[in-house]
Amino acid sequence: LEDFGEFYAARKDLVFRTVLAAGSDRQLAEDAVAEAFARAYARWSRLQRHPNPTGWVILTAVNAQRSWWRRIRREVLGSPPPEAAPPADLDGISADVRAAVAALPRRQREVVALRVVADLSAEETAELLGISPGTVSSHLHRALAALRAALPAAALSSHEEGR
Amino acid sequence: MIDVKQTVVRAYAGEQFGLPGAALTRLVRRRRRRRVYAAAAAVVFASGGLGIASQQTWGPAEPPLPGESGVTTEAAACYRRAGDGPAPVAAFTFVDTGEPGDRLVVAAGGQIAVACTDGETILFGPSDPRGPDWLDGTELDFAHGTSARHGLVVIGRTPPGTERVEVTLLDGTSVPVQVAGGWFAAWQPDAYWSGPGAGVRVVAHTATSSDVEELETGTG
């Protein structure tokens, strides 16, 4: 299991960033990433043979996060849980970028998380999400266009506030 | 001009996953205990009859609706994704909550079987190159589908008189299997159909004999 320790140490931050981008709620992301790595640990002998173990952990965490979100939504009769506060040292531009990513439709957000934050290929992303590479490209194109439209204003306003 | 991708990457670049190692160990231990209990339940129930063991291991099956001969409405809807055809005669439900493709429904009838996960439909049967005798129920026969998303699905027909079916990966891993109506289905959500020695072995036991079919598809 030394291999798993190396895998965990090397990939945990990337997985966490990706899951955070895909879902936006910090507490749920932390829980989901912990759960996903626990599952990876329990199945490590077989997971090592997976062509993309990092992608598997990311998708397991994203699914767990989505499942918990649904459960929470049911428990509070449709109101989403309050988002955990971002880190105190998060600069204004980063906060605005995250808000813009969080405002994307779920599938676009997941594609941005996997393709941009995790830097997976279109084929890997398609395989993990169960959609075609063409659909991945389409979602990414729309997501980047939406972010491009939102970001200049966000960035400018952050600079203005900083003066 | 803003490089959107780099801006997004930078926005998350400072995040670090800070779960203490001890917390991960506790979570793993808790899951392992659950797995041991599940395995024990399988052993206890295996002597009680077909299908029960795997259903205890993988969560409760969908209860049948009146007049549906054990085929749930969910399974019937899954079967209809293959188009119009004879009514399904067998249905299976597997649950593995939280995993990629965490729920699998299988419906089978005629020479068609359909497996459905969240967002995916896997169709077995009509275009199989093995010809019209395939899946006709006269002998042990099966097909498989696999991906990183839903793992390994094995669906097949059992020969007449079958009392018990075992499905194992060629590395020895036992795969949960359910049997009904002359069909069987098995699902291993974290199995991957690649690498040297990959493959599956199916054994159908009757009172007097055992049929064995093995399919090796490893690339090594």
PDB file of all heavy atoms in Angstrom, chain B residues 7-34:
ATOM      1  N   THR B   7      -7.025  31.384 -15.976  1.00  0.00           N
ATOM      2  CA  THR B   7      -7.678  32.118 -14.885  1.00  0.00           C
ATOM      3  C   THR B   7      -8.425  31.167 -13.964  1.00  0.00           C
ATOM      4  O   THR B   7      -8.375  31.300 -12.735  1.00  0.00           O
ATOM      5  CB  THR B   7      -8.659  33.158 -15.465  1.00  0.00           C
ATOM      6  OG1 THR B   7      -7.936  34.002 -16.366  1.00  0.00           O
ATOM      7  CG2 THR B   7      -9.265  34.010 -14.364  1.00  0.00           C
ATOM      8  N   VAL B   8      -9.097  30.196 -14.573  1.00  0.00           N
ATOM      9  CA  VAL B   8      -9.833  29.215 -13.771  1.00  0.00           C
ATOM     10  C   VAL B   8      -8.857  28.364 -12.957  1.00  0.00           C
ATOM     11  O   VAL B   8      -9.050  28.141 -11.757  1.00  0.00           O
ATOM     12  CB  VAL B   8     -10.711  28.319 -14.676  1.00  0.00           C
ATOM     13  CG1 VAL B   8     -11.285  27.149 -13.875  1.00  0.00           C
ATOM     14  CG2 VAL B   8     -11.832  29.127 -15.305  1.00  0.00           C
ATOM     15  N   VAL B   9      -7.788  27.900 -13.613  1.00  0.00           N
ATOM     16  CA  VAL B   9      -6.803  27.078 -12.909  1.00  0.00           C
ATOM     17  C   VAL B   9      -6.218  27.852 -11.722  1.00  0.00           C
ATOM     18  O   VAL B   9      -6.100  27.330 -10.608  1.00  0.00           O
ATOM     19  CB  VAL B   9      -5.678  26.641 -13.877  1.00  0.00           C
ATOM     20  CG1 VAL B   9      -4.516  26.012 -13.105  1.00  0.00           C
ATOM     21  CG2 VAL B   9      -6.221  25.661 -14.906  1.00  0.00           C
ATOM     22  N   ARG B  10      -5.893  29.123 -11.963  1.00  0.00           N
ATOM     23  CA  ARG B  10      -5.299  29.934 -10.878  1.00  0.00           C
ATOM     24  C   ARG B  10      -6.283  30.145  -9.727  1.00  0.00           C
ATOM     25  O   ARG B  10      -5.894  30.224  -8.570  1.00  0.00           O
ATOM     26  CB  ARG B  10      -4.849  31.291 -11.430  1.00  0.00           C
ATOM     27  CG  ARG B  10      -3.454  31.257 -12.057  1.00  0.00           C
ATOM     28  CD  ARG B  10      -2.887  32.658 -12.175  1.00  0.00           C
ATOM     29  NE  ARG B  10      -3.710  33.525 -13.006  1.00  0.00           N
ATOM     30  CZ  ARG B  10      -3.567  33.651 -14.319  1.00  0.00           C
ATOM     31  NH1 ARG B  10      -2.623  32.980 -14.940  1.00  0.00           N
ATOM     32  NH2 ARG B  10      -4.360  34.446 -15.015  1.00  0.00           N
ATOM     33  N   ALA B  11      -7.560  30.206 -10.057  1.00  0.00           N
ATOM     34  CA  ALA B  11      -8.557  30.473  -9.019  1.00  0.00           C
ATOM     35  C   ALA B  11      -8.636  29.335  -7.993  1.00  0.00           C
ATOM     36  O   ALA B  11      -9.058  29.542  -6.854  1.00  0.00           O
ATOM     37  CB  ALA B  11      -9.930  30.691  -9.656  1.00  0.00           C
ATOM     38  N   TYR B  12      -8.237  28.130  -8.425  1.00  0.00           N
ATOM     39  CA  TYR B  12      -8.300  26.978  -7.513  1.00  0.00           C
ATOM     40  C   TYR B  12      -6.906  26.497  -7.094  1.00  0.00           C
ATOM     41  O   TYR B  12      -6.780  25.557  -6.308  1.00  0.00           O
ATOM     42  CB  TYR B  12      -9.049  25.818  -8.182  1.00  0.00           C
ATOM     43  CG  TYR B  12     -10.514  26.116  -8.429  1.00  0.00           C
ATOM     44  CD1 TYR B  12     -10.939  26.649  -9.640  1.00  0.00           C
ATOM     45  CD2 TYR B  12     -11.461  25.892  -7.431  1.00  0.00           C
ATOM     46  CE1 TYR B  12     -12.277  26.948  -9.863  1.00  0.00           C
ATOM     47  CE2 TYR B  12     -12.798  26.183  -7.645  1.00  0.00           C
ATOM     48  CZ  TYR B  12     -13.197  26.715  -8.870  1.00  0.00           C
ATOM     49  OH  TYR B  12     -14.527  27.002  -9.078  1.00  0.00           O
ATOM     50  N   ALA B  13      -5.868  27.139  -7.626  1.00  0.00           N
ATOM     51  CA  ALA B  13      -4.507  26.610  -7.461  1.00  0.00           C
ATOM     52  C   ALA B  13      -4.061  26.564  -6.007  1.00  0.00           C
ATOM     53  O   ALA B  13      -3.251  25.717  -5.626  1.00  0.00           O
ATOM     54  CB  ALA B  13      -3.530  27.439  -8.288  1.00  0.00           C
ATOM     55  N   GLY B  14      -4.571  27.444  -5.176  1.00  0.00           N
ATOM     56  CA  GLY B  14      -4.109  27.478  -3.789  1.00  0.00           C
ATOM     57  C   GLY B  14      -4.775  26.468  -2.879  1.00  0.00           C
ATOM     58  O   GLY B  14      -4.399  26.333  -1.705  1.00  0.00           O
ATOM     59  N   GLU B  15      -5.736  25.723  -3.397  1.00  0.00           N
ATOM     60  CA  GLU B  15      -6.483  24.797  -2.549  1.00  0.00           C
ATOM     61  C   GLU B  15      -5.672  23.546  -2.247  1.00  0.00           C
ATOM     62  O   GLU B  15      -5.088  22.931  -3.142  1.00  0.00           O
ATOM     63  CB  GLU B  15      -7.797  24.389  -3.233  1.00  0.00           C
ATOM     64  CG  GLU B  15      -8.791  25.508  -3.375  1.00  0.00           C
ATOM     65  CD  GLU B  15      -9.412  25.900  -2.039  1.00  0.00           C
ATOM     66  OE1 GLU B  15      -9.124  25.228  -1.021  1.00  0.00           O
ATOM     67  OE2 GLU B  15     -10.174  26.878  -2.013  1.00  0.00           O
ATOM     68  N   GLN B  16      -5.648  23.158  -1.010  1.00  0.00           N
ATOM     69  CA  GLN B  16      -4.986  21.919  -0.616  1.00  0.00           C
ATOM     70  C   GLN B  16      -5.957  21.083   0.206  1.00  0.00           C
ATOM     71  O   GLN B  16      -6.705  21.616   1.028  1.00  0.00           O
ATOM     72  CB  GLN B  16      -3.735  22.224   0.210  1.00  0.00           C
ATOM     73  CG  GLN B  16      -2.656  22.915  -0.605  1.00  0.00           C
ATOM     74  CD  GLN B  16      -1.389  23.126   0.192  1.00  0.00           C
ATOM     75  OE1 GLN B  16      -1.442  23.482   1.370  1.00  0.00           O
ATOM     76  NE2 GLN B  16      -0.261  22.909  -0.453  1.00  0.00           N
ATOM     77  N   PHE B  17      -5.904  19.793  -0.037  1.00  0.00           N
ATOM     78  CA  PHE B  17      -6.787  18.897   0.698  1.00  0.00           C
ATOM     79  C   PHE B  17      -6.129  18.556   2.028  1.00  0.00           C
ATOM     80  O   PHE B  17      -5.070  17.922   2.052  1.00  0.00           O
ATOM     81  CB  PHE B  17      -7.051  17.634  -0.120  1.00  0.00           C
ATOM     82  CG  PHE B  17      -8.037  16.705   0.532  1.00  0.00           C
ATOM     83  CD1 PHE B  17      -9.326  17.132   0.810  1.00  0.00           C
ATOM     84  CD2 PHE B  17      -7.685  15.414   0.867  1.00  0.00           C
ATOM     85  CE1 PHE B  17     -10.240  16.283   1.402  1.00  0.00           C
ATOM     86  CE2 PHE B  17      -8.584  14.558   1.452  1.00  0.00           C
ATOM     87  CZ  PHE B  17      -9.869  14.999   1.727  1.00  0.00           C
ATOM     88  N   GLY B  18      -6.755  18.961   3.093  1.00  0.00           N
ATOM     89  CA  GLY B  18      -6.091  18.865   4.380  1.00  0.00           C
ATOM     90  C   GLY B  18      -6.609  17.795   5.303  1.00  0.00           C
ATOM     91  O   GLY B  18      -6.429  17.894   6.518  1.00  0.00           O
ATOM     92  N   LEU B  19      -7.248  16.775   4.759  1.00  0.00           N
ATOM     93  CA  LEU B  19      -7.762  15.726   5.647  1.00  0.00           C
ATOM     94  C   LEU B  19      -6.600  15.014   6.327  1.00  0.00           C
ATOM     95  O   LEU B  19      -5.710  14.512   5.663  1.00  0.00           O
ATOM     96  CB  LEU B  19      -8.578  14.707   4.841  1.00  0.00           C
ATOM     97  CG  LEU B  19      -9.210  13.600   5.663  1.00  0.00           C
ATOM     98  CD1 LEU B  19     -10.375  14.134   6.476  1.00  0.00           C
ATOM     99  CD2 LEU B  19      -9.667  12.469   4.759  1.00  0.00           C
ATOM    100  N   PRO B  20      -6.605  14.960   7.644  1.00  0.00           N
ATOM    101  CA  PRO B  20      -5.518  14.251   8.330  1.00  0.00           C
ATOM    102  C   PRO B  20      -5.498  12.782   7.931  1.00  0.00           C
ATOM    103  O   PRO B  20      -6.544  12.186   7.680  1.00  0.00           O
ATOM    104  CB  PRO B  20      -5.889  14.396   9.818  1.00  0.00           C
ATOM    105  CG  PRO B  20      -6.870  15.511   9.874  1.00  0.00           C
ATOM    106  CD  PRO B  20      -7.585  15.518   8.566  1.00  0.00           C
ATOM    107  N   GLY B  21      -4.331  12.211   7.865  1.00  0.00           N
ATOM    108  CA  GLY B  21      -4.203  10.802   7.508  1.00  0.00           C
ATOM    109  C   GLY B  21      -5.012   9.898   8.410  1.00  0.00           C
ATOM    110  O   GLY B  21      -5.589   8.919   7.988  1.00  0.00           O
ATOM    111  N   ALA B  22      -5.084  10.227   9.696  1.00  0.00           N
ATOM    112  CA  ALA B  22      -5.819   9.389  10.642  1.00  0.00           C
ATOM    113  C   ALA B  22      -7.300   9.337  10.295  1.00  0.00           C
ATOM    114  O   ALA B  22      -7.958   8.317  10.447  1.00  0.00           O
ATOM    115  CB  ALA B  22      -5.631   9.920  12.055  1.00  0.00           C
ATOM    116  N   ALA B  23      -7.840  10.463   9.840  1.00  0.00           N
ATOM    117  CA  ALA B  23      -9.261  10.497   9.476  1.00  0.00           C
ATOM    118  C   ALA B  23      -9.529   9.572   8.295  1.00  0.00           C
ATOM    119  O   ALA B  23     -10.532   8.872   8.255  1.00  0.00           O
ATOM    120  CB  ALA B  23      -9.678  11.921   9.155  1.00  0.00           C
ATOM    121  N   LEU B  24      -8.615   9.562   7.330  1.00  0.00           N
ATOM    122  CA  LEU B  24      -8.785   8.669   6.187  1.00  0.00           C
ATOM    123  C   LEU B  24      -8.723   7.213   6.641  1.00  0.00           C
ATOM    124  O   LEU B  24      -9.492   6.380   6.202  1.00  0.00           O
ATOM    125  CB  LEU B  24      -7.696   8.954   5.140  1.00  0.00           C
ATOM    126  CG  LEU B  24      -7.806   8.151   3.851  1.00  0.00           C
ATOM    127  CD1 LEU B  24      -9.090   8.502   3.123  1.00  0.00           C
ATOM    128  CD2 LEU B  24      -6.610   8.401   2.966  1.00  0.00           C
ATOM    129  N   THR B  25      -7.826   6.920   7.536  1.00  0.00           N
ATOM    130  CA  THR B  25      -7.714   5.557   8.049  1.00  0.00           C
ATOM    131  C   THR B  25      -9.006   5.126   8.731  1.00  0.00           C
ATOM    132  O   THR B  25      -9.478   4.016   8.547  1.00  0.00           O
ATOM    133  CB  THR B  25      -6.544   5.462   9.045  1.00  0.00           C
ATOM    134  OG1 THR B  25      -5.373   5.913   8.388  1.00  0.00           O
ATOM    135  CG2 THR B  25      -6.356   4.038   9.517  1.00  0.00           C
ATOM    136  N   ARG B  26      -9.609   6.012   9.511  1.00  0.00           N
ATOM    137  CA  ARG B  26     -10.857   5.663  10.188  1.00  0.00           C
ATOM    138  C   ARG B  26     -11.953   5.372   9.172  1.00  0.00           C
ATOM    139  O   ARG B  26     -12.708   4.437   9.303  1.00  0.00           O
ATOM    140  CB  ARG B  26     -11.298   6.805  11.115  1.00  0.00           C
ATOM    141  CG  ARG B  26     -10.568   6.829  12.441  1.00  0.00           C
ATOM    142  CD  ARG B  26     -11.354   7.669  13.445  1.00  0.00           C
ATOM    143  NE  ARG B  26     -11.505   9.034  13.018  1.00  0.00           N
ATOM    144  CZ  ARG B  26     -10.616   9.990  13.210  1.00  0.00           C
ATOM    145  NH1 ARG B  26      -9.488   9.719  13.819  1.00  0.00           N
ATOM    146  NH2 ARG B  26     -10.832  11.221  12.805  1.00  0.00           N
ATOM    147  N   LEU B  27     -12.022   6.191   8.132  1.00  0.00           N
ATOM    148  CA  LEU B  27     -13.042   5.998   7.113  1.00  0.00           C
ATOM    149  C   LEU B  27     -12.849   4.664   6.409  1.00  0.00           C
ATOM    150  O   LEU B  27     -13.784   3.923   6.166  1.00  0.00           O
ATOM    151  CB  LEU B  27     -12.978   7.159   6.104  1.00  0.00           C
ATOM    152  CG  LEU B  27     -14.134   7.336   5.156  1.00  0.00           C
ATOM    153  CD1 LEU B  27     -15.430   7.456   5.919  1.00  0.00           C
ATOM    154  CD2 LEU B  27     -13.904   8.573   4.308  1.00  0.00           C
ATOM    155  N   VAL B  28     -11.614   4.352   6.098  1.00  0.00           N
ATOM    156  CA  VAL B  28     -11.321   3.087   5.433  1.00  0.00           C
ATOM    157  C   VAL B  28     -11.712   1.924   6.328  1.00  0.00           C
ATOM    158  O   VAL B  28     -12.327   0.970   5.908  1.00  0.00           O
ATOM    159  CB  VAL B  28      -9.832   3.015   5.060  1.00  0.00           C
ATOM    160  CG1 VAL B  28      -9.474   1.604   4.637  1.00  0.00           C
ATOM    161  CG2 VAL B  28      -9.517   3.987   3.953  1.00  0.00           C
ATOM    162  N   ARG B  29     -11.385   2.010   7.607  1.00  0.00           N
ATOM    163  CA  ARG B  29     -11.720   0.907   8.507  1.00  0.00           C
ATOM    164  C   ARG B  29     -13.218   0.713   8.600  1.00  0.00           C
ATOM    165  O   ARG B  29     -13.714  -0.392   8.640  1.00  0.00           O
ATOM    166  CB  ARG B  29     -11.137   1.178   9.889  1.00  0.00           C
ATOM    167  CG  ARG B  29      -9.655   0.911   9.941  1.00  0.00           C
ATOM    168  CD  ARG B  29      -9.108   1.122  11.319  1.00  0.00           C
ATOM    169  NE  ARG B  29      -7.682   0.856  11.323  1.00  0.00           N
ATOM    170  CZ  ARG B  29      -6.857   1.347  12.220  1.00  0.00           C
ATOM    171  NH1 ARG B  29      -7.292   2.139  13.162  1.00  0.00           N
ATOM    172  NH2 ARG B  29      -5.576   1.064  12.169  1.00  0.00           N
ATOM    173  N   ARG B  30     -13.960   1.803   8.615  1.00  0.00           N
ATOM    174  CA  ARG B  30     -15.413   1.683   8.715  1.00  0.00           C
ATOM    175  C   ARG B  30     -15.955   0.983   7.466  1.00  0.00           C
ATOM    176  O   ARG B  30     -16.776   0.091   7.542  1.00  0.00           O
ATOM    177  CB  ARG B  30     -16.029   3.072   8.860  1.00  0.00           C
ATOM    178  CG  ARG B  30     -17.467   3.041   9.323  1.00  0.00           C
ATOM    179  CD  ARG B  30     -17.911   4.382   9.853  1.00  0.00           C
ATOM    180  NE  ARG B  30     -17.959   5.405   8.841  1.00  0.00           N
ATOM    181  CZ  ARG B  30     -17.264   6.527   8.895  1.00  0.00           C
ATOM    182  NH1 ARG B  30     -16.438   6.769   9.874  1.00  0.00           N
ATOM    183  NH2 ARG B  30     -17.357   7.422   7.928  1.00  0.00           N
ATOM    184  N   ARG B  31     -15.453   1.369   6.299  1.00  0.00           N
ATOM    185  CA  ARG B  31     -15.928   0.745   5.069  1.00  0.00           C
ATOM    186  C   ARG B  31     -15.533  -0.726   5.023  1.00  0.00           C
ATOM    187  O   ARG B  31     -16.273  -1.552   4.578  1.00  0.00           O
ATOM    188  CB  ARG B  31     -15.365   1.481   3.856  1.00  0.00           C
ATOM    189  CG  ARG B  31     -15.983   2.820   3.641  1.00  0.00           C
ATOM    190  CD  ARG B  31     -15.635   3.349   2.267  1.00  0.00           C
ATOM    191  NE  ARG B  31     -15.989   2.389   1.232  1.00  0.00           N
ATOM    192  CZ  ARG B  31     -17.228   2.149   0.831  1.00  0.00           C
ATOM    193  NH1 ARG B  31     -18.223   2.783   1.374  1.00  0.00           N
ATOM    194  NH2 ARG B  31     -17.458   1.262  -0.113  1.00  0.00           N
ATOM    195  N   ARG B  32     -14.369  -1.040   5.503  1.00  0.00           N
ATOM    196  CA  ARG B  32     -13.946  -2.438   5.460  1.00  0.00           C
ATOM    197  C   ARG B  32     -14.843  -3.301   6.331  1.00  0.00           C
ATOM    198  O   ARG B  32     -15.156  -4.412   5.980  1.00  0.00           O
ATOM    199  CB  ARG B  32     -12.497  -2.542   5.921  1.00  0.00           C
ATOM    200  CG  ARG B  32     -11.522  -2.203   4.825  1.00  0.00           C
ATOM    201  CD  ARG B  32     -10.138  -2.565   5.225  1.00  0.00           C
ATOM    202  NE  ARG B  32      -9.283  -2.650   4.058  1.00  0.00           N
ATOM    203  CZ  ARG B  32      -7.988  -2.867   4.116  1.00  0.00           C
ATOM    204  NH1 ARG B  32      -7.405  -3.013   5.281  1.00  0.00           N
ATOM    205  NH2 ARG B  32      -7.274  -2.936   3.019  1.00  0.00           N
ATOM    206  N   ARG B  33     -15.244  -2.782   7.453  1.00  0.00           N
ATOM    207  CA  ARG B  33     -16.144  -3.571   8.307  1.00  0.00           C
ATOM    208  C   ARG B  33     -17.451  -3.853   7.565  1.00  0.00           C
ATOM    209  O   ARG B  33     -17.963  -4.941   7.596  1.00  0.00           O
ATOM    210  CB  ARG B  33     -16.411  -2.826   9.614  1.00  0.00           C
ATOM    211  CG  ARG B  33     -15.297  -2.998  10.632  1.00  0.00           C
ATOM    212  CD  ARG B  33     -15.820  -2.723  12.035  1.00  0.00           C
ATOM    213  NE  ARG B  33     -16.239  -1.361  12.179  1.00  0.00           N
ATOM    214  CZ  ARG B  33     -15.424  -0.364  12.505  1.00  0.00           C
ATOM    215  NH1 ARG B  33     -14.143  -0.601  12.684  1.00  0.00           N
ATOM    216  NH2 ARG B  33     -15.872   0.858  12.623  1.00  0.00           N
ATOM    217  N   ARG B  34     -17.943  -2.831   6.867  1.00  0.00           N
ATOM    218  CA  ARG B  34     -19.178  -3.050   6.106  1.00  0.00           C
ATOM    219  C   ARG B  34     -18.981  -4.137   5.062  1.00  0.00           C
ATOM    220  O   ARG B  34     -19.840  -4.965   4.844  1.00  0.00           O
ATOM    221  CB  ARG B  34     -19.611  -1.740   5.438  1.00  0.00           C
ATOM    222  CG  ARG B  34     -20.255  -0.760   6.390  1.00  0.00           C
ATOM    223  CD  ARG B  34     -21.329   0.053   5.686  1.00  0.00           C
ATOM    224  NE  ARG B  34     -20.826   0.803   4.570  1.00  0.00           N
ATOM    225  CZ  ARG B  34     -20.372   2.051   4.648  1.00  0.00           C
ATOM    226  NH1 ARG B  34     -20.334   2.660   5.802  1.00  0.00           N
ATOM    227  NH2 ARG B  34     -19.959   2.689   3.584  1.00  0.00           N
TER     228      ARG B  34
END
